[in-house]
Amino acid sequence: MANVESDTLKLARWYAQRHYKTDAAIEEVFYLPANAPEREIRLVEVNDSIAERSAPLEPIDFGVDIGSAEGHTLMVLDVTPAQWKKIAGNKLALPGGWSLEGSVSIRPRGR
């Protein structure tokens, strides 16, 4: 089981770095492994250029490699810096089943 977790974290880091490269407005990415299905990667991206939406927050399903033997799903929740502060302060709820427990901050390389 430990290998699955480390492989998932490696994939989460890889996706986060790709997203940092393609969107300069992303300030920070968090990997949220708690309560996630075995083959699901959950990322929260704090993005300074998106419009603030009202609750409930909904992640986007990127549907990556679903049909392969190593298949997984990438779920990304984009939030504004203000929304992230509310989430971190328990004033705004994450999507159902998502948790900050055990979250990993993935910083961009070179910053």
Side-chain angles (χ1 to χ4, degrees), residues 17 50 67 70-71 92 108-109:
Q17 295 306 324
I50 62 170
E70 298 296 319
L92 181 61
R109 288 189 190 117

Side-chain angles (χ1 to χ4, degrees), residues 35-108:
N35 304 324
E38 184 178 346
R39 294 181 179 265
E40 183 173 289
I41 298 169
R42 295 176 175 176
L43 300 179
V44 175
E45 296 183 348
V46 181
N47 191 319
D48 194 32
S49 72
I50 62 170
E52 190 161 325
R53 303 171 311 277
S54 58
L57 300 175
E58 293 292 328
I60 297 170
D61 180 348
F62 277 73
V64 181
D65 289 340
I66 294 172
S68 72
E70 298 296 319
H72 60 277
T73 303
L74 175 63
M75 302 294 287
V76 177
L77 177 65
D78 284 307
V79 298
T80 66
Q83 287 173 315
W84 177 248
K85 278 185 168 181
K86 289 177 185 175
I87 291 167
N90 292 317
K91 295 181 187 216
L92 181 61
L94 287 165
W98 288 43
S99 171
L100 293 180
E101 182 182 330
S103 64
V104 177
S105 173
I106 303 172
R107 306 295 276 169

Side-chain angles (χ1 to χ4, degrees), residues 27 37 102:
E27 294 180 357

Side-chain angles (χ1 to χ4, degrees), residues 18-41:
R18 286 188 60 195
H19 289 202
Y20 279 125
K21 286 180 185 176
T22 59
D23 189 344
I26 295 174
E27 294 180 357
E28 193 163 6
V29 177
F30 295 88
Y31 167 56
L32 279 56
N35 304 324
E38 184 178 346
R39 294 181 179 265
E40 183 173 289
I41 298 169

